[in-house]
Amino acid sequence: ISDRSSYWTSSLKMIGSNPFVGTGYGTFKNNYPRYQRSASAETNDPHNYLLKSTSELGVLALVIFLVLVGYLFKKSFKK
C-alpha cells in the first residue's frame, strides 16, 4: 500500500508540473522516474486510471472525460 501511495503522490507532482496538456499520451513510464519519491517504488503505471490519464493528457482531458461519463450516466436513467 505504501508503494501505491508513492505512485499516486508522484503522479500528482507530474500533473502539477504539466497541468494543461500533460506529459503526452503513453509517456507515464518515461516521465515517472523524474517524479519518483523513492527508488524502491518503481512502476510503469500508477494503478489509477484517472491519475495516469490526467498526468499524460492534462486536466482538460480529465474534465472532458468526467463530463462525458456524467452525461452518459444521466442519459442512462432517462426514459
Coordinates of all heavy atoms in Angstrom, one line a residue:
I1 N 0.8 -1.2 0.0 CA 0.0 0.0 0.0 C 0.9 1.3 0.0 O 0.5 2.2 -0.6 CB -1.0 0.0 1.2 CG1 -2.0 -1.1 0.9 CG2 -1.7 1.3 1.3 CD1 -3.0 -1.3 2.0
S2 N 2.0 1.2 0.7 CA 2.9 2.4 0.7 C 3.4 2.7 -0.7 O 3.6 3.9 -1.0 CB 4.0 2.2 1.7 OG 4.8 1.2 1.4
D3 N 3.7 1.7 -1.5 CA 4.2 1.9 -2.8 C 3.1 2.6 -3.7 O 3.4 3.5 -4.4 CB 4.6 0.6 -3.5 CG 6.0 0.1 -3.1 OD1 6.7 0.9 -2.4 OD2 6.3 -1.1 -3.3
R4 N 1.9 2.1 -3.5 CA 0.8 2.7 -4.3 C 0.6 4.2 -3.9 O 0.4 5.0 -4.8 CB -0.5 2.0 -4.1 CG -1.6 2.4 -5.1 CD -2.7 1.4 -5.1 NE -2.2 0.2 -5.7 CZ -2.9 -0.8 -6.3 NH1 -4.2 -0.6 -6.3 NH2 -2.4 -1.9 -6.7
S5 N 0.7 4.5 -2.7 CA 0.6 6.0 -2.3 C 1.7 6.8 -2.9 O 1.6 7.9 -3.2 CB 0.5 6.1 -0.8 OG 1.7 5.8 -0.1
S6 N 2.9 6.2 -3.0 CA 4.1 6.8 -3.6 C 3.8 7.0 -5.1 O 4.1 8.1 -5.6 CB 5.3 6.0 -3.4 OG 6.4 6.6 -4.0
Y7 N 3.2 6.1 -5.7 CA 2.9 6.2 -7.2 C 1.9 7.4 -7.3 O 2.1 8.2 -8.3 CB 2.2 5.0 -7.7 CG 2.9 3.7 -7.6 CD1 2.3 2.5 -7.6 CD2 4.3 3.6 -7.4 CE1 2.9 1.3 -7.5 CE2 5.0 2.4 -7.3 CZ 4.3 1.2 -7.4 OH 4.9 0.0 -7.2
W8 N 0.9 7.4 -6.5 CA -0.1 8.5 -6.6 C 0.5 9.9 -6.3 O 0.2 10.8 -7.0 CB -1.3 8.2 -5.7 CG -2.1 7.0 -6.1 CD1 -1.9 6.2 -7.2 CD2 -3.1 6.3 -5.3 NE1 -2.8 5.1 -7.2 CE2 -3.5 5.2 -6.1 CE3 -3.7 6.6 -4.1 CZ2 -4.5 4.3 -5.6 CZ3 -4.7 5.7 -3.7 CH2 -5.1 4.6 -4.4
T9 N 1.3 10.0 -5.3 CA 1.9 11.2 -5.0 C 2.8 11.7 -6.1 O 2.8 12.9 -6.5 CB 2.8 11.1 -3.7 OG1 1.9 10.7 -2.6 CG2 3.4 12.4 -3.3
S10 N 3.6 10.8 -6.7 CA 4.4 11.1 -7.8 C 3.6 11.6 -9.0 O 3.9 12.5 -9.8 CB 5.3 10.0 -8.2 OG 6.2 9.6 -7.1
S11 N 2.4 10.9 -9.2 CA 1.5 11.2 -10.3 C 1.0 12.6 -10.1 O 0.9 13.4 -11.1 CB 0.4 10.2 -10.4 OG 0.9 9.0 -10.7
L12 N 0.6 13.0 -8.9 CA 0.1 14.3 -8.6 C 1.2 15.4 -8.9 O 0.9 16.5 -9.4 CB -0.4 14.4 -7.2 CG -1.7 13.6 -6.9 CD1 -2.0 13.6 -5.5 CD2 -2.9 14.2 -7.7
K13 N 2.4 15.1 -8.6 CA 3.5 16.0 -8.9 C 3.7 16.2 -10.4 O 3.9 17.3 -10.9 CB 4.8 15.5 -8.3 CG 4.9 15.6 -6.8 CD 6.3 15.1 -6.3 CE 6.4 15.1 -4.8 NZ 7.7 14.6 -4.4
M14 N 3.5 15.1 -11.1 CA 3.6 15.1 -12.6 C 2.5 16.0 -13.1 O 2.7 16.8 -14.0 CB 3.5 13.7 -13.1 CG 4.0 13.6 -14.5 SD 3.9 11.9 -15.1 CE 4.8 10.9 -13.9
I15 N 1.3 15.9 -12.6 CA 0.2 16.7 -13.0 C 0.4 18.1 -12.7 O 0.1 19.0 -13.5 CB -1.2 16.2 -12.4 CG1 -1.5 14.8 -12.9 CG2 -2.3 17.1 -12.6 CD1 -2.6 14.0 -12.1
G16 N 0.9 18.4 -11.5 CA 1.2 19.8 -11.1 C 2.2 20.5 -12.0 O 2.2 21.7 -12.3
S17 N 3.2 19.7 -12.6 CA 4.2 20.2 -13.4 C 3.7 20.4 -14.9 O 4.3 21.3 -15.6 CB 5.4 19.3 -13.5 OG 6.0 19.3 -12.2
N18 N 2.7 19.7 -15.3 CA 2.2 19.7 -16.6 C 0.6 19.7 -16.6 O 0.0 18.8 -17.2 CB 2.6 18.5 -17.4 CG 4.1 18.4 -17.4 OD1 4.8 19.1 -18.1 ND2 4.7 17.5 -16.6
P19 N 0.0 20.7 -16.0 CA -1.4 20.6 -15.7 C -2.3 20.7 -17.0 O -3.4 20.0 -17.0 CB -1.7 21.8 -14.8 CG -0.6 22.8 -15.0 CD 0.6 21.9 -15.4
F20 N -2.0 21.5 -17.9 CA -2.9 21.7 -19.1 C -2.8 20.6 -20.2 O -3.8 20.2 -20.6 CB -2.6 23.1 -19.7 CG -2.8 24.2 -18.7 CD1 -1.8 24.9 -18.2 CD2 -4.1 24.5 -18.2 CE1 -2.0 25.9 -17.2 CE2 -4.3 25.4 -17.2 CZ -3.2 26.2 -16.8
V21 N -1.6 20.3 -20.6 CA -1.5 19.3 -21.7 C -0.9 18.0 -21.2 O -0.8 17.0 -22.1 CB -0.7 19.9 -22.9 CG1 -1.5 21.0 -23.5 CG2 0.7 20.3 -22.4
G22 N -0.5 17.8 -20.0 CA 0.1 16.6 -19.5 C 1.5 16.4 -20.1 O 2.1 17.3 -20.7
T23 N 2.0 15.2 -20.0 CA 3.3 14.8 -20.5 C 3.3 14.2 -21.9 O 4.3 13.9 -22.5 CB 4.0 13.9 -19.5 OG1 3.2 12.7 -19.4 CG2 4.2 14.5 -18.2
G24 N 2.1 13.8 -22.3 CA 1.9 13.2 -23.6 C 1.4 11.8 -23.5 O 1.8 11.1 -22.5
Y25 N 0.5 11.4 -24.4 CA -0.1 10.0 -24.3 C 1.0 8.9 -24.3 O 1.9 8.9 -25.1 CB -1.0 9.8 -25.5 CG -1.7 8.5 -25.5 CD1 -2.7 8.2 -24.6 CD2 -1.3 7.5 -26.3 CE1 -3.3 7.0 -24.5 CE2 -1.9 6.2 -26.3 CZ -2.9 6.0 -25.4 OH -3.5 4.7 -25.3
G26 N 0.9 8.0 -23.4 CA 1.8 6.9 -23.3 C 3.2 7.2 -22.7 O 4.1 6.4 -22.8
T27 N 3.3 8.3 -22.1 CA 4.7 8.7 -21.6 C 4.8 8.6 -20.1 O 5.9 9.0 -19.5 CB 5.0 10.2 -22.0 OG1 4.0 11.0 -21.4 CG2 5.0 10.4 -23.5
F28 N 3.9 8.0 -19.4 CA 4.0 7.9 -17.9 C 5.2 7.2 -17.5 O 6.0 7.7 -16.7 CB 2.7 7.2 -17.3 CG 2.8 7.1 -15.8 CD1 2.3 8.2 -15.1 CD2 3.4 6.0 -15.2 CE1 2.4 8.1 -13.7 CE2 3.5 6.0 -13.8 CZ 3.0 7.0 -13.0
K29 N 5.5 6.0 -18.1 CA 6.7 5.2 -17.7 C 8.0 5.9 -17.9 O 8.9 5.7 -17.2 CB 6.6 3.8 -18.3 CG 6.8 3.8 -19.8 CD 6.7 2.4 -20.3 CE 6.8 2.4 -21.8 NZ 6.7 1.1 -22.3
N30 N 8.0 6.8 -19.0 CA 9.2 7.5 -19.3 C 9.4 8.7 -18.3 O 10.6 9.1 -18.0 CB 9.2 8.0 -20.7 CG 9.2 6.9 -21.7 OD1 9.7 5.8 -21.4 ND2 8.6 7.1 -22.8
N31 N 8.4 9.3 -17.9 CA 8.4 10.5 -17.0 C 8.4 10.2 -15.5 O 8.8 11.0 -14.7 CB 7.3 11.5 -17.4 CG 7.5 12.1 -18.7 OD1 8.5 12.9 -18.9 ND2 6.7 11.9 -19.7
Y32 N 7.9 9.1 -15.2 CA 7.8 8.7 -13.7 C 9.1 8.8 -13.0 O 9.1 9.4 -11.9 CB 7.2 7.3 -13.6 CG 7.1 6.9 -12.1 CD1 6.1 7.4 -11.3 CD2 8.0 6.0 -11.6 CE1 6.0 7.0 -10.0 CE2 7.9 5.6 -10.3 CZ 6.9 6.1 -9.5 OH 6.9 5.8 -8.2
P33 N 10.2 8.4 -13.5 CA 11.5 8.5 -12.7 C 11.8 9.9 -12.2 O 12.4 10.1 -11.2 CB 12.5 7.9 -13.6 CG 11.8 7.0 -14.5 CD 10.4 7.6 -14.7
R34 N 11.4 10.9 -13.0 CA 11.7 12.3 -12.6 C 11.0 12.7 -11.4 O 11.4 13.6 -10.7 CB 11.4 13.2 -13.7 CG 12.3 13.1 -14.9 CD 12.0 14.2 -15.9 NE 12.0 13.5 -17.2 CZ 11.4 13.8 -18.3 NH1 10.7 14.9 -18.3 NH2 11.5 13.1 -19.4
Y35 N 9.8 12.1 -11.1 CA 8.9 12.5 -10.0 C 8.9 11.4 -8.9 O 8.2 11.6 -7.9 CB 7.5 12.7 -10.6 CG 7.5 13.8 -11.6 CD1 7.6 13.5 -12.9 CD2 7.4 15.1 -11.2 CE1 7.5 14.5 -13.9 CE2 7.3 16.1 -12.2 CZ 7.4 15.8 -13.5 OH 7.4 16.8 -14.4
Q36 N 9.6 10.3 -9.1 CA 9.6 9.2 -8.2 C 10.1 9.6 -6.8 O 11.1 10.3 -6.7 CB 10.5 8.1 -8.8 CG 10.5 6.8 -8.1 CD 11.4 5.8 -8.9 OE1 11.9 6.1 -10.0 NE2 11.6 4.7 -8.3
R37 N 9.3 9.2 -5.8 CA 9.7 9.6 -4.4 C 10.8 8.7 -3.8 O 11.6 9.2 -3.1 CB 8.4 9.4 -3.5 CG 7.5 10.5 -3.7 CD 6.2 10.4 -2.8 NE 6.6 10.3 -1.4 CZ 5.8 9.9 -0.5 NH1 4.6 9.6 -0.7 NH2 6.2 9.8 0.8
S38 N 10.8 7.4 -4.1 CA 11.8 6.5 -3.6 C 12.2 5.5 -4.7 O 11.4 5.1 -5.5 CB 11.3 5.8 -2.4 OG 10.3 4.9 -2.7
A39 N 13.4 5.1 -4.6 CA 14.0 4.2 -5.6 C 13.3 2.8 -5.6 O 13.2 2.1 -6.5 CB 15.5 4.0 -5.4
S40 N 12.7 2.5 -4.4 CA 12.0 1.2 -4.3 C 10.7 1.2 -4.9 O 10.1 0.1 -5.2 CB 11.9 0.8 -2.8 OG 11.1 1.7 -2.2
A41 N 10.1 2.3 -5.2 CA 8.8 2.4 -5.8 C 8.8 2.6 -7.3 O 8.2 3.5 -7.8 CB 8.0 3.6 -5.1
E42 N 9.4 1.7 -8.0 CA 9.5 1.8 -9.5 C 8.2 1.2 -10.1 O 7.7 0.2 -9.6 CB 10.7 1.1 -10.0 CG 12.0 1.8 -9.6 CD 13.2 1.2 -10.2 OE1 13.0 0.5 -11.2 OE2 14.3 1.3 -9.6
T43 N 7.7 1.8 -11.1 CA 6.5 1.3 -11.8 C 6.3 1.9 -13.2 O 7.0 2.9 -13.5 CB 5.2 1.7 -10.9 OG1 4.1 1.0 -11.5 CG2 4.9 3.2 -10.9
N44 N 5.5 1.3 -14.0 CA 5.2 1.8 -15.3 C 3.8 2.3 -15.3 O 3.3 2.9 -16.3 CB 5.3 0.7 -16.4 CG 6.7 0.3 -16.6 OD1 7.6 1.1 -16.4 ND2 6.9 -0.9 -17.0
D45 N 3.1 2.2 -14.2 CA 1.7 2.5 -14.1 C 1.3 2.9 -12.6 O 1.7 2.2 -11.7 CB 0.8 1.3 -14.5 CG -0.6 1.6 -14.6 OD1 -1.3 1.6 -13.6 OD2 -1.1 1.8 -15.7
P46 N 0.6 4.0 -12.4 CA 0.3 4.4 -11.0 C -0.9 3.6 -10.4 O -1.3 3.8 -9.3 CB -0.1 5.9 -11.2 CG -0.7 6.0 -12.5 CD 0.1 5.0 -13.4
H47 N -1.4 2.6 -11.2 CA -2.6 1.8 -10.7 C -3.8 2.7 -10.3 O -4.5 2.4 -9.4 CB -2.1 1.0 -9.5 CG -0.9 0.1 -9.8 ND1 -1.1 -1.1 -10.5 CD2 0.4 0.2 -9.5 CE1 0.1 -1.6 -10.7 NE2 1.0 -0.8 -10.1
N48 N -4.0 3.7 -11.1 CA -5.2 4.6 -11.0 C -5.4 5.2 -12.4 O -4.6 6.0 -12.8 CB -4.9 5.6 -9.9 CG -6.1 6.5 -9.7 OD1 -6.7 7.1 -10.6 ND2 -6.5 6.6 -8.5
Y49 N -6.5 4.8 -13.0 CA -6.7 5.3 -14.4 C -6.8 6.8 -14.5 O -6.2 7.4 -15.4 CB -8.1 4.7 -14.9 CG -8.4 5.2 -16.3 CD1 -7.8 4.7 -17.4 CD2 -9.4 6.2 -16.4 CE1 -8.1 5.2 -18.7 CE2 -9.8 6.7 -17.7 CZ -9.1 6.2 -18.8 OH -9.4 6.7 -20.0
L50 N -7.5 7.4 -13.6 CA -7.7 8.9 -13.7 C -6.3 9.6 -13.5 O -6.1 10.6 -14.2 CB -8.7 9.4 -12.6 CG -10.1 8.9 -12.9 CD1 -11.1 9.4 -11.8 CD2 -10.6 9.4 -14.3
L51 N -5.5 9.2 -12.5 CA -4.2 9.8 -12.4 C -3.3 9.6 -13.6 O -2.6 10.5 -14.0 CB -3.5 9.3 -11.1 CG -4.1 9.8 -9.8 CD1 -3.4 9.1 -8.6 CD2 -4.0 11.3 -9.7
K52 N -3.3 8.4 -14.1 CA -2.5 8.1 -15.3 C -2.9 9.0 -16.5 O -2.1 9.6 -17.1 CB -2.5 6.7 -15.7 CG -1.6 6.4 -16.8 CD -1.5 4.9 -17.1 CE -0.5 4.7 -18.3 NZ -0.4 3.3 -18.7
S53 N -4.2 9.0 -16.7 CA -4.8 9.7 -17.9 C -4.5 11.2 -17.7 O -4.1 11.9 -18.7 CB -6.3 9.5 -18.0 OG -6.5 8.1 -18.3
T54 N -4.7 11.8 -16.5 CA -4.5 13.2 -16.3 C -3.0 13.6 -16.4 O -2.7 14.6 -16.9 CB -5.1 13.6 -14.9 OG1 -6.5 13.2 -14.8 CG2 -5.0 15.1 -14.7
S55 N -2.2 12.7 -15.9 CA -0.7 13.0 -15.9 C -0.3 13.0 -17.4 O 0.6 13.8 -17.8 CB 0.1 12.1 -15.1 OG 0.1 10.8 -15.6
E56 N -0.8 12.1 -18.2 CA -0.4 12.0 -19.6 C -1.1 13.0 -20.5 O -0.5 13.6 -21.5 CB -0.7 10.6 -20.1 CG 0.2 9.6 -19.5 CD -0.1 8.2 -20.1 OE1 -1.1 8.0 -20.8 OE2 0.8 7.3 -19.9
L57 N -2.4 13.3 -20.2 CA -3.2 14.1 -21.2 C -3.6 15.5 -20.6 O -4.2 16.3 -21.4 CB -4.5 13.4 -21.6 CG -4.2 12.0 -22.2 CD1 -5.5 11.2 -22.4 CD2 -3.4 12.2 -23.5
G58 N -3.5 15.7 -19.3 CA -3.8 17.0 -18.7 C -5.1 17.1 -18.1 O -6.0 16.2 -18.3
V59 N -5.4 18.2 -17.4 CA -6.6 18.4 -16.7 C -7.8 18.6 -17.6 O -8.9 18.1 -17.3 CB -6.5 19.6 -15.7 CG1 -7.8 19.9 -15.0 CG2 -5.4 19.3 -14.7
L60 N -7.6 19.2 -18.7 CA -8.7 19.4 -19.7 C -9.2 18.0 -20.2 O -10.4 17.9 -20.2 CB -8.2 20.2 -20.9 CG -9.2 20.5 -22.0 CD1 -10.4 21.3 -21.4 CD2 -8.6 21.3 -23.1
A61 N -8.4 17.1 -20.4 CA -8.8 15.7 -20.8 C -9.6 15.1 -19.7 O -10.6 14.4 -19.9 CB -7.6 14.9 -21.2
L62 N -9.2 15.3 -18.4 CA -9.9 14.8 -17.3 C -11.3 15.4 -17.2 O -12.3 14.7 -17.0 CB -9.2 15.1 -16.0 CG -9.9 14.7 -14.7 CD1 -10.1 13.2 -14.6 CD2 -9.2 15.3 -13.5
V63 N -11.4 16.7 -17.4 CA -12.7 17.4 -17.4 C -13.6 16.9 -18.5 O -14.8 16.5 -18.3 CB -12.6 18.9 -17.5 CG1 -13.9 19.6 -17.7 CG2 -11.9 19.4 -16.2
I64 N -13.1 16.7 -19.7 CA -13.9 16.2 -20.8 C -14.4 14.8 -20.5 O -15.5 14.4 -20.7 CB -13.1 16.2 -22.1 CG1 -12.9 17.7 -22.5 CG2 -13.7 15.4 -23.2 CD1 -11.8 17.9 -23.7
F65 N -13.5 13.9 -20.0 CA -13.9 12.6 -19.6 C -15.0 12.6 -18.6 O -16.0 11.8 -18.7 CB -12.6 11.8 -19.1 CG -12.9 10.5 -18.6 CD1 -13.2 9.4 -19.4 CD2 -13.0 10.2 -17.2 CE1 -13.5 8.1 -18.9 CE2 -13.3 9.0 -16.7 CZ -13.5 7.9 -17.6
L66 N -14.8 13.4 -17.5 CA -15.9 13.4 -16.5 C -17.2 13.9 -16.9 O -18.3 13.4 -16.6 CB -15.4 14.2 -15.3 CG -14.2 13.6 -14.5 CD1 -13.7 14.5 -13.4 CD2 -14.5 12.2 -13.9
V67 N -17.2 14.9 -17.8 CA -18.4 15.4 -18.4 C -19.1 14.4 -19.2 O -20.3 14.1 -19.2 CB -18.1 16.7 -19.2 CG1 -19.3 17.1 -20.1 CG2 -17.8 17.9 -18.3
L68 N -18.3 13.6 -20.0 CA -18.8 12.6 -20.9 C -19.4 11.5 -20.0 O -20.6 11.0 -20.3 CB -17.8 12.0 -21.8 CG -18.2 10.8 -22.7 CD1 -19.2 11.3 -23.7 CD2 -17.0 10.3 -23.4
V69 N -18.7 11.0 -19.0 CA -19.3 10.0 -18.1 C -20.5 10.5 -17.4 O -21.5 9.7 -17.3 CB -18.2 9.6 -17.1 CG1 -18.8 8.7 -16.0 CG2 -17.1 8.8 -17.8
G70 N -20.5 11.7 -16.9 CA -21.7 12.3 -16.3 C -22.9 12.3 -17.2 O -24.0 12.0 -16.9
Y71 N -22.7 12.7 -18.5 CA -23.7 12.8 -19.5 C -24.3 11.4 -19.7 O -25.5 11.2 -19.8 CB -23.2 13.4 -20.8 CG -24.1 13.3 -21.9 CD1 -25.2 14.1 -22.1 CD2 -23.9 12.3 -22.9 CE1 -26.1 14.0 -23.1 CE2 -24.8 12.2 -24.0 CZ -25.9 13.0 -24.1 OH -26.7 12.9 -25.1
L72 N -23.4 10.4 -19.9 CA -23.9 9.1 -20.2 C -24.6 8.5 -19.0 O -25.6 7.8 -19.2 CB -22.7 8.2 -20.6 CG -22.0 8.5 -21.9 CD1 -20.8 7.7 -22.1 CD2 -23.0 8.3 -23.1
F73 N -24.1 8.8 -17.8 CA -24.8 8.3 -16.6 C -26.2 8.9 -16.5 O -27.2 8.2 -16.2 CB -24.0 8.7 -15.4 CG -24.5 8.2 -14.1 CD1 -24.4 6.8 -13.8 CD2 -25.1 9.0 -13.2 CE1 -24.8 6.3 -12.6 CE2 -25.6 8.5 -12.0 CZ -25.5 7.2 -11.7
K74 N -26.3 10.2 -16.7 CA -27.6 10.9 -16.6 C -28.5 10.4 -17.7 O -29.7 10.1 -17.4 CB -27.4 12.4 -16.8 CG -28.6 13.2 -16.7 CD -28.3 14.7 -16.8 CE -29.6 15.5 -16.7 NZ -29.3 16.9 -16.8
K75 N -28.0 10.2 -18.9 CA -28.8 9.7 -20.0 C -29.3 8.3 -19.8 O -30.4 7.9 -20.2 CB -28.0 9.8 -21.3 CG -28.9 9.5 -22.5 CD -28.1 9.8 -23.8 CE -28.9 9.4 -25.0 NZ -28.9 10.3 -26.1
S76 N -28.6 7.5 -19.1 CA -29.0 6.1 -18.9 C -30.2 6.0 -17.9 O -30.8 5.0 -17.9 CB -27.8 5.3 -18.3 OG -27.5 5.7 -17.0
F77 N -30.4 7.0 -17.1 CA -31.6 7.0 -16.2 C -32.8 7.7 -16.8 O -33.9 7.7 -16.1 CB -31.2 7.6 -14.9 CG -30.3 6.7 -14.1 CD1 -28.9 6.9 -14.0 CD2 -30.8 5.5 -13.5 CE1 -28.1 6.0 -13.3 CE2 -30.0 4.7 -12.8 CZ -28.7 4.9 -12.7
K78 N -32.7 8.3 -18.0 CA -33.9 8.9 -18.6 C -34.6 7.9 -19.3 O -34.1 6.9 -19.9 CB -33.4 10.0 -19.5 CG -33.0 11.3 -18.9 CD -32.9 12.4 -19.9 CE -32.7 13.7 -19.2 NZ -32.5 14.8 -20.1
K79 N -35.9 8.1 -19.4 CA -36.8 7.1 -20.2 C -36.8 7.5 -21.6 O -36.8 8.5 -22.1 CB -38.2 7.1 -19.6 CG -38.2 6.4 -18.2 CD -39.6 6.3 -17.7 CE -39.6 5.6 -16.4 NZ -40.9 5.4 -15.9

